[in-house]
Amino acid sequence: MNSLGKHILKNNLTKGFYITTLFVLLMFGSLSAQESKEQSVNKLEQYSDSDAQVLENEYTASLKKADTLAAILTLQKLALLYGHQARHKKSYNKLWQALLLADASKMKMLKAFIYRDIGRHYSYYKRKTKALKFLNSSLDLKKELVQNKEIKDEELANAYLAFVATYRELNDLKSAKVYLDSSAVFLKNSTQLRDKTFYSFEYGVILNSEGNYEKALKAFRDCLNWFSKNLPSYRVLINTYVGDVYKNKQEYAKSENSYLEALELSKSYNVHKDFTPLIYERLSDLYLLKGNKDKAFASLKRAKELDYLYFDSRSATNRPLLEIQDEFLEEKNRQITANKEQRLQQLEQEEQVLFLERMLLFVAVVGLILFINNIRSKHKAEKKILRKKREFEIEKNKEVLELKNKELATSVIKLIEKDAFIDQLKEKLSNGKGDINRQEAKQIINSIAVNNLDNWSEFETRFVAINKKFYTKLTKKFPDLTANDQRLCALIKLNFSSKEIAKLLNMSKESVHTTRSRLRKKLKISRDVNLKNFIASI
């Protein structure tokens, strides 16, 4: 177990494995069902003083090896041993020591079990407030572990059963039943046979209090087999409560035999000695019912003697109990005070470091802001210069383009005028008047026609050169346009009227209108859209 504890603590195994291992270890040596009755007796219940010394040596060795887990588990075994023997001074002492180690080591599952055991010890002394405080601390820790998915929710059943046992011992069976119902919720799908067996026992006690005597006896019989094999000392309690059932059924002989057997079991196993005063009280009541006053008096006297021995704080056995508790509280207070002072110093150092970090961060942020603002200012200035330069270039290009288009338009106008003059000349020559013969006139007309085509080609070349972007966009957006369509678009862009276009393209004005309508269709624009503005926007 020592090596296992080191392995868990030093190598940081997964929480699931840790909790599983821990739970198995906390069962304190439960034996398999295949073992014989003699072999199945719980070893802790057979420990003598020499055996306790062996555990004390194991505890000391665990501390030397820094095996905290093994040390805590050994302390719990010692507490259980001394508790069974009603040596509560030593039992309390071991539990407080275990709690300090578990608290320092942040072992929440172990703390939950220790809180439970301390709460149960307080209940033996009828200190209800203290008992419930520790039991609730145990329950809260287990709920936290369940919420963090470190243990299954079925582990809560054990915590609720501790409340049931406490309220049973405080004779508050109504509250005990409430917590028993809570444990049943978590035992419904549980695989924990141990908890189910304890549930059956507590259920038998409740049934007896409600007058369901046969069901109570059945519940006790159902759990007797498991206790006989795994925790035979608990038969002390089973026989006691079976005796209560028989007494209620007025089967006094069976009741007396059950009580006496419980006392014999306590003596033979050297366990549950602190429970024997209650058994003698029950015997005293039973003997009164049977009319045997001498035995009733003797039993009551014995109950008072044992109660003083095991529970009175004035007895030599229990006088140091309060001192032990004070030592624990003082140790905890010393730890808390030391931790506070250490934490205060740490906070002061952290505050100084934090102040320096904040100052450095402030300087860095201010410097970064100034640097960013400087870059932004430069960037804005550069953008402003680039924007103005771009605007100037665009404006300049626009002016140049307009100037060239004006020059081009002027040349076209002159071309129109020349064409008009040539048309008149062609008309005269066609009539064959003057000194020029008809054959020479035809040659001149053909030459003029060729010259007109050349003039138009020259115009188109110049227009494309000047309005290169316009032609590129026009071709890209409307690839199906013919050369004549592109020529018409160019003339419309230069703001020529239909009459001027008709002269340039040597067609009638009506034909120009027809051509413009066809162009609209190819450009996919309705008659509501101004053709000139549309072409200018390209």
Side-chain angles (χ1 to χ4, degrees):
M1 184 180 66
N2 292 351
S3 59
L4 176 60
K6 284 186 176 181
H7 191 57
I8 291 173
L9 292 174
K10 294 183 179 179
N11 296 297
N12 193 22
L13 293 178
T14 60
K15 289 181 177 179
F17 179 76
Y18 166 74
I19 294 300
T20 303
T21 304
L22 181 59
F23 185 75
V24 172
L25 290 172
L26 288 169
M27 293 299 98
F28 297 122
S30 296
L31 302 176
S32 65
Q34 286 74 27
E35 291 178 318
S36 65
K37 184 174 180 180
E38 291 75 20
Q39 293 172 322
S40 66
V41 175
N42 190 302
K43 292 181 180 180
L44 281 177
E45 296 166 353
Q46 296 177 320
Y47 278 153
S48 62
D49 288 341
S50 59
D51 296 317
Q53 187 58 50
V54 172
L55 287 175
E56 292 282 5
N57 294 338
E58 284 185 12
Y59 168 67
T60 303
S62 299
L63 290 181
K64 288 181 179 179
K65 296 177 182 178
D67 192 346
T68 308
L69 178 60
I72 293 172
L73 293 175
T74 304
L75 287 170
Q76 285 185 282
K77 287 182 178 181
L78 282 165
L80 182 63
L81 166 64
Y82 292 135
H84 275 313
Q85 297 175 352
R87 298 161 75 178
H88 294 295
K89 166 200 166 184
K90 290 189 174 184
S91 182
Y92 266 65
N93 189 14
K94 301 308 175 185
L95 287 174
W96 295 127
Q97 287 178 268
L99 182 59
L100 283 170
L101 287 174
D103 186 54
S105 303
K106 310 296 183 184
M107 297 180 181
K108 291 185 178 180
M109 189 63 171
L110 276 173
K111 282 182 66 177
F113 282 113
I114 297 169
Y115 278 143
R116 179 202 62 189
D117 293 342
I118 292 174
R120 296 289 294 118
H121 274 72
Y122 274 118
S123 71
Y124 303 154
Y125 284 83
K126 310 300 181 183
R127 298 179 67 178
K128 180 179 178 181
T129 303
K130 283 279 190 179
L132 294 180
K133 176 186 175 183
F134 279 96
L135 292 180
N136 277 306
S137 296
S138 175
L139 179 60
D140 291 341
L141 272 177
K142 285 195 173 184
K143 284 182 177 179
E144 182 183 339
L145 292 169
V146 170
Q147 187 175 4
N148 296 335
K149 297 182 178 179
E150 296 179 41
I151 62 173
K152 296 180 180 180
D153 59 2
E154 65 184 38
E155 300 293 344
L156 295 177
N158 181 270
Y160 283 113
L161 286 171
F163 280 95
V164 177
T166 297
Y167 280 114
R168 167 173 54 79
E169 290 162 0
L170 295 172
N171 293 319
D172 184 357
L173 295 181
K174 184 178 180 180
S175 298
K177 186 177 180 181
V178 173
Y179 281 93
L180 190 67
D181 292 340
S182 297
S183 67
V185 174
F186 299 101
L187 287 173
K188 187 176 182 181
N189 299 315
S190 174
T191 58
Q192 300 292 344
L193 184 58
R194 180 188 180 93
D195 290 339
K196 288 183 176 181
T197 306
F198 274 97
Y199 173 87
S200 181
F201 166 74
E202 299 293 352
Y203 184 50
V205 175
I206 298 296
L207 288 171
N208 178 47
S209 69
E210 294 175 343
N212 296 318
Y213 304 132
E214 295 303 324
K215 287 185 178 180
L217 288 173
K218 182 180 183 304
F220 291 137
R221 284 195 295 269
D222 289 342
C223 65
L224 186 60
N225 185 53
W226 186 90
F227 280 121
S228 296
K229 291 181 178 180
N230 299 284
L231 199 60
S233 68
Y234 214 75
R235 289 163 54 201
V236 174
L237 274 71
I238 294 175
N239 277 276
T240 300
Y241 284 99
V242 167
D244 290 345
V245 177
Y246 284 129
K247 184 169 68 175
N248 290 333
K249 292 181 67 179
Q250 297 183 0
E251 296 181 22
Y252 299 140
K254 289 183 179 180
S255 177
E256 183 180 7
N257 288 335
S258 295
Y259 290 146
L260 293 176
E261 186 177 352
L263 290 172
E264 183 61 31
L265 287 167
S266 176
K267 181 180 179 181
S268 62
Y269 285 117
N270 195 26
V271 293
H272 292 296
K273 288 186 175 182
D274 53 349
F275 195 72
T276 54
L278 296 175
I279 302 175
Y280 278 109
E281 284 182 4
R282 285 167 162 81
L283 273 172
S284 178
D285 292 339
L286 178 64
Y287 289 139
L288 280 176
L289 290 172
K290 294 176 68 175
N292 193 334
K293 294 181 181 179
D294 291 338
K295 283 189 175 182
F297 177 76
S299 296
L300 184 60
K301 181 181 178 182
R302 184 58 178 160
K304 296 296 182 182
E305 291 172 351
L306 293 174
D307 188 69
Y308 170 81
L309 177 65
Y310 298 136
F311 296 107
D312 197 314
S313 61
R314 294 168 297 174
S315 70
T317 304
N318 298 307
R319 192 177 301 117
L321 281 176
L322 295 178
E323 297 173 8
I324 295 170
Q325 296 165 31
D326 291 341
E327 286 177 5
F328 172 76
L329 294 175
E330 287 174 6
E331 178 63 25
K332 287 294 291 184
N333 288 331
R334 282 195 294 270
Q335 289 183 3
I336 292 170
T337 302
N339 289 337
K340 283 183 178 179
E341 291 177 356
Q342 185 179 359
R343 181 60 179 158
L344 185 61
Q345 294 176 356
Q346 184 180 351
L347 287 173
E348 289 176 352
Q349 293 175 354
E350 289 177 356
E351 189 175 352
Q352 293 175 357
V353 173
L354 184 61
F355 176 76
L356 291 174
E357 288 178 348
R358 286 177 176 173
M359 287 297 297
L360 291 173
L361 182 62
F362 175 76
V363 172
V365 170
V366 171
L368 184 61
I369 291 172
L370 294 174
F371 177 72
I372 291 173
N373 288 337
N374 186 35
I375 291 176
R376 282 181 176 175
S377 298
K378 288 183 179 180
H379 184 62
K380 285 181 180 180
E382 290 175 358
K383 282 180 68 176
K384 189 175 181 180
I385 293 171
L386 288 172
R387 186 171 59 253
K388 286 185 177 181
K389 188 175 180 180
R390 195 180 299 111
E391 290 174 354
F392 175 76
E393 292 291 336
I394 292 171
E395 190 66 27
K396 183 179 177 182
N397 291 336
K398 189 176 179 181
E399 289 176 358
V400 171
L401 183 61
E402 288 179 356
L403 180 62
K404 289 182 177 181
N405 280 331
K406 284 180 181 179
E407 291 176 355
L408 188 59
T410 302
S411 65
V412 171
I413 290 171
K414 289 181 179 179
L415 186 61
I416 291 171
E417 291 174 352
K418 187 177 78 172
D419 286 345
F421 170 75
I422 291 172
D423 286 343
Q424 292 176 2
L425 180 60
K426 283 168 65 179
E427 186 179 351
K428 289 179 181 181
L429 290 173
S430 297
N431 293 333
K433 296 179 182 181
D435 297 334
I436 302 173
N437 60 40
R438 193 173 185 84
Q439 183 65 30
E440 290 176 335
K442 285 183 178 181
Q443 290 178 354
I444 292 170
I445 290 169
N446 291 334
S447 176
I448 291 170
V450 172
N451 191 39
N452 283 345
L453 290 173
D454 291 341
N455 288 336
W456 176 254
S457 296
E458 182 183 351
F459 159 76
E460 193 169 24
T461 301
R462 289 178 62 192
F463 179 83
V464 171
I466 294 171
N467 299 278
K468 188 174 182 180
K469 288 185 179 180
F470 168 77
Y471 251 79
T472 302
K473 289 182 180 180
L474 183 67
T475 305
K476 186 176 181 180
K477 291 180 73 174
F478 306 102
D480 296 333
L481 294 179
T482 64
N484 287 333
D485 293 333
Q486 293 178 353
R487 195 172 297 151
L488 180 60
C489 289
L491 294 173
I492 293 172
K493 181 173 176 62
L494 290 174
N495 204 22
F496 284 103
S497 65
S498 297
K499 184 179 178 181
E500 292 170 334
I501 292 172
K503 288 183 179 181
L504 275 170
L505 300 179
N506 195 22
M507 60 174 65
S508 65
K509 192 174 180 181
E510 289 74 15
S511 298
V512 172
H513 287 305
T514 302
T515 306
R516 287 169 69 104
S517 297
R518 290 174 182 168
L519 180 61
R520 278 179 175 277
K521 290 181 180 179
K522 290 183 178 181
L523 296 177
K524 297 179 182 180
I525 58 175
S526 63
R527 296 192 64 81
D528 297 336
V529 180
N530 187 291
L531 182 59
K532 176 190 168 185
N533 293 339
F534 180 79
I535 292 174
S537 66
I538 296 175

